[in-house]
Amino acid sequence: MSSLFFTFLLLFFSLLLPSLNALSHHYYDHTCPNLESIVAREVRLATANDKTVPAALLRMHFHDCFIRGCDGSVLLDSKGKNTAEKDGPPNISLHAFYVIDNAKKAIESTCPGVVSCADILALAARDAVVVSGGPHWEVPKGRKDGRISKASETRQLPAPTFNFSQLQQSFSQRGLSLHDLVALSGGHTLGFAHCSSFQNRIHNFNSSLDVDPSLDSSFAASLRRVCPARNKVKNAGSTMDSSSTVFDNAYYKLLLEGKSIFSSDQSLLSTPKTKALVSKFANEQHLFEKAFVKSMVKMSQIAGAGQEVRLNCRLIR
């Protein structure tokens, strides 16, 4: 009888544990009720001084979730012989880590040892969209911070030169659909692209063409002026769309006009399903925003193997 009862208890707790580990909108309601207002304040302050901050925070969250899940591993500094994710080639241009540091410092003074850096980053990404005129959404919370961060793993990030099949595989491996792929690509409405990320489209495109023929000719010419074949200007590049500090659907409109920046953006027009979604989002901003929110929440729940709540987002405990 006792062994049967013990078996029942094991079964009960095995069913209960996933729910205990699940993310929740109310995770910090009692332990850190001012969390969201603190993070939002830091994002607003930083953006007032630097209009590139929102794009940086959104990209940082994306890059965090795509490597080891959303565990704040992108925030860790390199130490000793270990080169961390933030120093991997695709992440060299990530910036605005100080916004997360400032938020963490303010939170620690109010709710010490309670809020993970991974959760702060997820909230900051949402607030980055809001401060840029985009939608607000409830962020599920309760992530734990990871202890492993390796630059070598950043090669798993989807590259701007990816074709459609490579993009699809990258997203599907993380439980994200084609709909998520097109919706999350709309995050490119914010930000800036360096020449190196689209050089392949405007110089030596293939053996017979110098420029990608899918690019609008005048747009391609303007990119070539900014990024000549032997570009020596370190920070040369182009804004991602015509309103790069405003969260809107201009990215999709420009994509349909042959004015996208990355090969990966252009690849969204290569299948009927994804092209239809691009057209839908170009025509209806509210539909794009609704889809973006749904896909951001989904992406932010990619499970990590986090085990702790860091006291300093740059260092493991």
Side-chain angles (χ1 to χ4, degrees), residues 25 50 73 82 101 104 117 124 130-132 141 149 171 178-180 213 217 226 303:
H25 293 145
D50 181 357
S73 55
N82 182 62
D101 293 335
K104 179 63 170 173
C117 298
V130 173
V131 79
S132 303
K141 298 168 285 288
S149 183
F171 275 68
L178 289 182
H179 199 278
D180 298 319
S217 57
V226 174

Side-chain angles (χ1 to χ4, degrees), residues 163-180:
N163 60 35
F164 181 76
S165 62
Q166 290 171 313
L167 273 183
Q168 183 179 20
Q169 182 180 18
S170 179
F171 275 68
S172 65
Q173 285 172 346
R174 292 158 177 87
L176 299 171
S177 67
L178 289 182
H179 199 278
D180 298 319

Side-chain angles (χ1 to χ4, degrees), residues 198-206 208-217 219-221 223-224 258 260-267:
F198 57 89
Q199 199 86 355
N200 64 306
R201 299 190 75 194
I202 58 173
H203 299 291
N204 301 313
F205 176 68
N206 60 29
S208 57
L209 293 170
D210 202 24
V211 176
D212 183 346
S214 66
L215 276 171
D216 174 84
S217 57
F219 181 65
L223 292 179
R224 282 165 64 91
S260 62
I261 300 292
F262 299 149
S263 299
S264 57
D265 294 325
Q266 182 62 33
S267 77

Side-chain angles (χ1 to χ4, degrees), residues 35-44 47 53-54 57-58 99 119-137 139 190 296:
L35 165 63
E36 300 212 16
S37 61
I38 293 171
V39 176
R41 181 190 69 208
E42 294 300 333
V43 172
R44 284 196 305 270
T47 303
V53 161
L57 293 173
L58 187 57
V99 181
D119 277 344
I120 294 171
L121 179 52
L123 288 166
R126 186 271 312 276
D127 294 332
V129 171
V130 173
V131 79
S132 303
H136 182 281
W137 65 92
V139 175
L190 300 176
M296 278 294 288

Side-chain angles (χ1 to χ4, degrees), residues 1-307:
M1 186 73 176
S2 60
S3 63
L4 185 63
F5 180 68
F6 182 67
T7 303
F8 171 77
L9 280 179
L10 282 177
L11 179 62
F12 174 77
F13 282 109
S14 68
L15 292 171
L16 184 63
L17 279 173
S19 64
L20 290 175
N21 293 328
L23 303 185
S24 165
H25 293 145
H26 306 290
Y27 193 84
Y28 298 110
D29 282 3
H30 301 295
T31 54
C32 198
N34 296 324
L35 165 63
E36 300 212 16
S37 61
I38 293 171
V39 176
R41 181 190 69 208
E42 294 300 333
V43 172
R44 284 196 305 270
L45 287 172
T47 303
N49 292 318
D50 181 357
K51 297 299 183 187
T52 70
V53 161
L57 293 173
L58 187 57
R59 184 166 174 245
M60 194 186 297
H61 180 47
F62 181 91
H63 283 212
D64 182 42
C65 292
F66 264 58
I67 305 295
R68 293 184 171 270
C70 309
D71 66 347
S73 55
V74 75
L75 304 171
L76 289 169
D77 284 344
S78 296
K79 187 177 181 182
K81 293 183 178 179
N82 182 62
T83 306
E85 286 173 35
K86 64 167 59 169
D87 294 319
N91 287 339
I92 292 296
S93 58
L94 286 183
H95 67 286
F97 290 100
Y98 71 90
V99 181
I100 307 302
D101 293 335
N102 291 348
K104 179 63 170 173
K105 186 176 180 181
I107 291 161
E108 284 299 309
S109 67
T110 307
C111 330
V114 171
V115 181
S116 69
C117 298
D119 277 344
I120 294 171
L121 179 52
L123 288 166
R126 186 271 312 276
D127 294 332
V129 171
V130 173
V131 79
S132 303
H136 182 281
W137 65 92
E138 291 297 319
V139 175
K141 298 168 285 288
R143 299 165 190 80
K144 290 292 187 284
D145 294 322
R147 296 175 56 84
I148 299 171
S149 183
K150 297 181 180 295
S152 59
E153 294 183 351
T154 60
R155 65 171 66 103
Q156 300 170 25
L157 289 167
T161 55
F162 268 14
N163 60 35
F164 181 76
S165 62
Q166 290 171 313
L167 273 183
Q168 183 179 20
Q169 182 180 18
S170 179
F171 275 68
S172 65
Q173 285 172 346
R174 292 158 177 87
L176 299 171
S177 67
L178 289 182
H179 199 278
D180 298 319
L181 166 58
V182 179
L184 291 171
S185 293
H188 287 167
T189 183
L190 300 176
F192 181 87
H194 290 93
C195 294
S196 58
S197 61
F198 57 89
Q199 199 86 355
N200 64 306
R201 299 190 75 194
I202 58 173
H203 299 291
N204 301 313
F205 176 68
N206 60 29
S207 57
S208 57
L209 293 170
D210 202 24
V211 176
D212 183 346
S214 66
L215 276 171
D216 174 84
S217 57
S218 60
F219 181 65
S222 69
L223 292 179
R224 282 165 64 91
R225 283 193 293 273
V226 174
C227 302
R230 291 178 179 81
N231 174 55
K232 294 180 180 178
V233 181
K234 184 180 178 182
N235 292 318
S238 171
T239 55
M240 294 297 288
D241 76 14
S242 52
S243 53
S244 62
T245 60
V246 178
F247 190 90
D248 57 20
N249 63 341
Y251 161 83
Y252 298 104
K253 294 177 180 178
L254 292 170
L255 181 49
L256 292 171
E257 294 171 8
K259 297 175 183 177
S260 62
I261 300 292
F262 299 149
S263 299
S264 57
D265 294 325
Q266 182 62 33
S267 77
L268 299 182
L269 301 182
S270 64
T271 76
K273 182 175 180 179
T274 52
K275 186 175 183 178
L277 284 170
V278 169
S279 298
K280 178 176 158 183
F281 295 157
N283 291 326
E284 301 282 354
Q285 180 160 331
H286 75 280
L287 293 178
F288 158 53
E289 291 184 353
K290 184 178 179 181
F292 182 81
V293 165
K294 186 176 180 180
S295 295
M296 278 294 288
V297 170
K298 187 175 175 182
M299 183 191 77
S300 79
Q301 296 183 88
I302 297 175
Q307 300 169 317

